[in-house]
Amino acid sequence: MEHNFDTGAVLLIDKPLTWTSFDVVKKLRSAIKMKKIGHAGTLDPLATGLLVVCTGKFTKKINEIQDADKEYICSMVVGKTTPSVDLETEFDGEYHFQHITKEAVLDLFQKNIGEIEQVPPVYSAIKIDGKRAYESARKGIEVEIKSRLVTLKEIELITFDLPLIEFRVVCTKGTYIRSLVRDWGLDLGSGAYMSALRRTKIGDLSVENAKDIILLTDEIRSAREAREALEKAANESENISTNN
């Protein structure tokens, strides 16, 4: 590995399913053996894709990176709902969806290009009175979450195969894709949940250049062990020379 982690490195990770963003940081912190490390833009455990991790002095870049536009590929399933709008919670509703047409979906996407107002999901990390919203939601406590303005710059329909609707979206910071799924399900006269989400880009950074977290940490450990072995050999050689 050519990275100087103390000086600073920007690492592109393809976050695995069920891992939290902190799980990735913790794994890297253990491999690199340094405390100054953080990620730019959280991904939910049930989402995969690009997670940017910064080390050393490059942690100053975190705000700049997470402020950039994001690109996601989302699998939206119409006809059913869950409280969390994904598969973290059980289904709580079933609705007709046979009336939904491809033309209606394309029209809906077109109408949502630009600035829109959305309410984040109740199962989100937003803090309400000092507590994460999902903590209250899991306890059955209702919380009021204020709406926010976000901008959708591109929306592309990838798959229309009811009940599955797969789309690509480019959006500004703070956009909740689950909120889009929840609201669009209603707009289509049905209900919907998100079965999969993958972040593919943050600004100019792409998941195509990202590394598997296990492979990367193995590489880091191997490089560190090789470096330590060389340093040990050099020290031993120097000691022999001094003694002679």
Side-chain angles (χ1 to χ4, degrees):
M1 300 293 293
E2 299 297 325
H3 297 297
N4 186 326
F5 295 112
D6 291 322
T7 300
V10 176
L11 305 174
L12 307 186
I13 309 299
D14 189 346
K15 189 191 83 64
L17 187 68
T18 72
W19 284 50
T20 67
S21 299
F22 180 72
D23 287 338
V24 173
V25 170
K26 185 179 178 182
K27 185 79 172 177
L28 283 167
R29 180 180 287 128
S30 174
I32 298 170
K33 295 193 177 301
M34 70 179 302
K35 292 183 178 180
K36 199 168 186 181
I37 181 171
H39 63 80
T42 302
L43 273 178
D44 289 339
L46 295 183
T48 65
L50 183 60
L51 184 70
V52 179
V53 178
C54 300
T55 74
K57 295 178 181 178
F58 278 22
T59 52
K60 294 178 181 178
K61 295 177 176 286
I62 286 177
N63 287 337
E64 175 189 345
I65 294 170
Q66 63 188 13
D67 284 347
D69 292 344
K70 315 291 192 305
E71 179 186 80
Y72 297 91
I73 303 294
C74 176
S75 295
M76 165 180 169
V77 180
V78 293
K80 289 184 178 181
T81 57
T82 73
S84 58
V85 202
D86 63 10
L87 292 172
E88 179 186 341
T89 52
E90 299 293 326
F91 294 116
D92 64 351
E94 193 163 346
Y95 308 86
H96 294 293
F97 62 85
Q98 290 80 4
H99 62 281
I100 299 174
T101 63
K102 183 177 181 180
E103 290 69 26
V105 172
L106 291 172
D107 183 56
L108 176 65
F109 287 174
Q110 184 60 40
K111 288 179 180 178
N112 277 271
I113 293 288
E115 189 175 67
I116 65 168
E117 192 170 359
Q118 69 168 201
V119 178
V122 291
Y123 281 79
S124 65
I126 287 179
K127 283 192 174 182
I128 307 293
D129 297 328
K131 290 184 178 181
R132 300 290 185 187
Y134 63 76
E135 293 176 355
S136 298
R138 287 169 182 164
K139 294 177 182 177
I141 301 172
E142 290 188 12
V143 293
E144 182 179 353
I145 303 178
K146 295 181 179 179
S147 63
R148 57 171 64 182
L149 292 174
V150 297
T151 301
L152 307 184
K153 298 188 174 182
E154 298 177 33
I155 313 173
E156 176 191 3
L157 179 63
I158 298 174
T159 302
F160 181 81
D161 185 16
L162 294 181
L164 174 66
I165 299 172
E166 187 178 41
F167 62 89
R168 178 185 69 88
V169 60
V170 177
C171 53
T172 53
K173 172 188 176 182
T175 304
Y176 277 89
I177 309 303
R178 281 181 293 139
S179 290
L180 297 181
V181 169
R182 177 198 63 206
D183 296 343
W184 289 352
L186 291 172
D187 290 340
L188 290 168
S190 184
Y193 69 92
M194 186 174 73
S195 62
L197 180 67
R198 183 165 177 79
R199 184 159 64 194
T200 47
K201 289 183 180 179
I202 300 178
D204 294 330
L205 304 175
S206 173
V207 74
E208 292 178 358
N209 300 316
K211 287 206 169 189
D212 177 271
I213 181 63
I214 302 300
L215 294 178
L216 178 58
T217 50
D218 285 347
E219 287 178 14
I220 292 171
R221 287 194 178 95
S222 296
R224 188 183 70 245
E225 289 169 0
R227 185 172 60 251
E228 289 172 350
L230 286 172
E231 290 172 354
K232 182 180 179 181
N235 289 334
E236 289 175 349
S237 177
E238 183 178 346
N239 290 335
I240 292 171
S241 298
T242 301
N243 293 333
N244 290 337

